[in-house]
Amino acid sequence: MTEVILHEPLDMHLHLRDGDMLRTVAPLSARSFSGALIMPNLVPPITDGEMLRAYRHRILEAAGENCFKPYMTLFFKPEYDFDFLAPLAEEITAIKLYPAGITTNSEGGVSGFDVETLRPALEAMSELGIPLCIHGETGGFVLDREREFVPIYEELAVAFPELSIVMEHITDAVSLEALERHPNLYATITLHHLLITLDDVVGGMLQPHLFCKPIAKRPEDRQALLHAALNAHPKVMFGSDSAPHPRHAKEAPGCAAGVFTAPVALPVLAELFARHGKLEKLQHFVSTNAREIYQIDPPVKKVRLVDTPMQVPEKYGEVVPLFAGREIGWSIADVEC
Ligand code: NCD
Ligand code: ZN
Ligand code: ZN
């Protein structure tokens, strides 16, 4: 038997939603992760301290007795300034910027990336040491959206050298190259973008449960992401982007974007890293790098994963997970906290 023990695993990009959905999905992440960066794209989005505290409370209630820390984010608005953010700085781990309309529940996001318009908010964040997370896609042709956004990342990285900027859920080899050029650029990589390419989504029968933003790209992009993750590139962190939508919203004309990976994330990562002989790098990819980049100290948790197969359920509540109904090669043996 092969096993790996992970300490304080972290998911640095997670959608937990609200209401019944929150109660279904939160325990699945809370069981195996020590903490997660919680995305603010609710309807309406999380834009002030009161909403943030109430949402944090609902998450903790839904997570139950799992010793799990939700690292909270605000939904970026250009109106944020120093006086607004300073009293919140202790309660927020990052602020998430969405280009308007680019992905699920991002209608209230930013239109146009004029540095001068964004300056007051981004200078305040630099001063307060609040990282900026970005869904970096333009409104261009779908396969080019992320690469077209790279110059915007770079412009912001240069204009705000003290601001940590996280390129969220990168899918394109070009984004990885940008990491090397700017000390204040970082990135998250999802599980599904390490596993699939566009072929898996649309190359055969259309696979709605693999449809997400940004869309999975070419084999060489996936290969580049895999190389960075397997070698635990120090500027790269695991962020599942686990994004649950009810089955009726996925298996429909106008399929919602998002892949639900939370319940299988750690076992499938362990299987992937083991297959490549890189198990010893997994701790860095799923925890150490994020702790250093975000300067966080998550609750103690020890997760033991073993190469004993498990059967993935067809559904959790109304949500269909990655590998639904299939057997995966690894499973969680026990969790201590
Ligand atoms: C996410 C969601 O459903 O909230 N969907 C997705 O395809 N990734 C939003 C996001 O992270 O862009
Ligand atoms: Zn996104
Ligand atoms: Zn997301």
Side-chain angles (χ1 to χ4, degrees):
M1 189 185 71
T2 312
E3 69 169 37
V4 63
I5 292 173
L6 296 176
H7 297 270
E8 292 82 60
L10 294 166
D11 180 350
M12 298 313 288
H13 183 133
L14 178 64
H15 299 273
L16 288 178
R17 316 299 192 204
D18 214 339
D20 287 345
M21 181 67 94
L22 170 65
R23 285 185 285 275
T24 301
V25 303
L28 302 168
S29 289
R31 175 173 177 238
S32 49
F33 289 92
S34 173
L37 191 72
I38 310 299
M39 292 299 121
N41 62 331
L42 303 185
V43 187
I46 305 292
T47 49
D48 65 34
E50 202 178 322
M51 293 170 97
L52 181 124
R53 283 186 284 275
Y55 186 37
R56 183 171 174 280
H57 186 77
R58 295 196 296 279
I59 292 169
L60 286 173
E61 240 171 30
E65 300 296 308
N66 278 304
C67 52
F68 171 76
K69 177 153 181 167
Y71 291 98
M72 303 303 291
T73 63
L74 277 184
F75 187 102
F76 181 89
K77 290 282 183 188
E79 300 85 76
Y80 293 162
D81 60 13
F82 189 89
D83 291 343
F84 175 79
L85 292 176
L88 295 174
E90 290 298 304
E91 295 172 272
I92 56 181
T93 302
I95 298 182
K96 176 71 186 282
L97 188 154
Y98 293 89
I102 203 68
T103 187
T104 308
N105 304 338
S106 63
E107 290 69 23
V110 169
S111 339
F113 279 83
D114 174 44
V115 169
E116 290 321 308
T117 313
L118 301 176
R119 185 174 294 281
L122 298 187
E123 272 180 357
M125 290 171 63
S126 303
E127 266 179 70
L128 294 163
I130 304 171
L132 174 71
C133 302
I134 306 185
H135 178 121
E137 288 194 286
T138 67
F141 175 65
V142 69
L143 288 178
D144 297 334
R145 284 177 192 176
E146 186 174 312
R147 61 173 57 228
E148 285 174 2
F149 201 91
V150 168
I152 303 177
Y153 277 126
E154 299 204 61
E155 190 186 357
L156 294 174
V158 170
F160 305 97
E162 302 301 319
L163 180 67
S164 296
I165 301 175
V166 184
M167 312 162 81
E168 291 297 331
H169 47 40
I170 58 170
T171 61
D172 193 312
V174 172
S175 303
L176 280 169
E177 292 161 20
L179 278 183
E180 307 303 330
R181 294 193 287 270
H182 304 276
N184 54 333
L185 275 188
Y186 303 92
T188 55
I189 298 181
T190 73
L191 170 62
H192 47 285
H193 291 120
L194 295 176
L195 300 175
I196 64 167
T197 69
L198 186 58
D199 239 11
D200 298 290
V201 189
V202 299
M205 301 270 267
L206 180 67
Q207 299 300 318
H209 297 288
L210 297 181
F211 172 64
C212 68
K213 302 288 180 71
I215 194 87
K217 306 277 183 320
R218 306 180 63 84
E220 48 272 35
D221 294 305
R222 188 190 71 106
Q223 207 47 47
L225 299 174
L226 198 52
H227 185 265
L230 290 173
N231 292 292
H233 187 301
K235 298 180 87 182
V236 162
M237 308 166 266
F238 176 60
S240 71
D241 192 20
S242 179
H245 293 274
R247 184 174 176 180
H248 64 80
K250 295 289 290 175
E251 297 177 7
C255 165
V259 183
F260 179 51
T261 54
V264 298
L266 286 183
V268 177
L269 278 173
E271 188 175 9
L272 181 68
F273 276 62
R275 185 163 8 107
H276 287 88
K278 293 282 188 178
L279 263 184
E280 84 282 0
K281 298 286 187 188
L282 187 54
Q283 176 67 33
H284 279 80
F285 181 58
V286 298
S287 184
T288 317
N289 291 356
R291 292 175 75 147
E292 281 171 18
I293 293 166
Y294 277 101
Q295 296 286 307
I296 52 176
D297 192 14
V300 172
K301 187 175 263 182
K302 203 163 113 179
V303 181
R304 191 165 65 93
L305 295 136
V306 291
D307 62 348
T308 305
M310 77 170 245
Q311 187 72 22
V312 180
E314 294 283 354
K315 285 207 284 177
Y316 291 86
E318 288 304 299
V319 200
V320 178
L322 181 68
F323 298 134
R326 284 169 50 186
E327 189 180 272
I328 56 174
W330 281 61
S331 52
I332 295 178
D334 43 70
V335 178
E336 264 176 54
C337 67

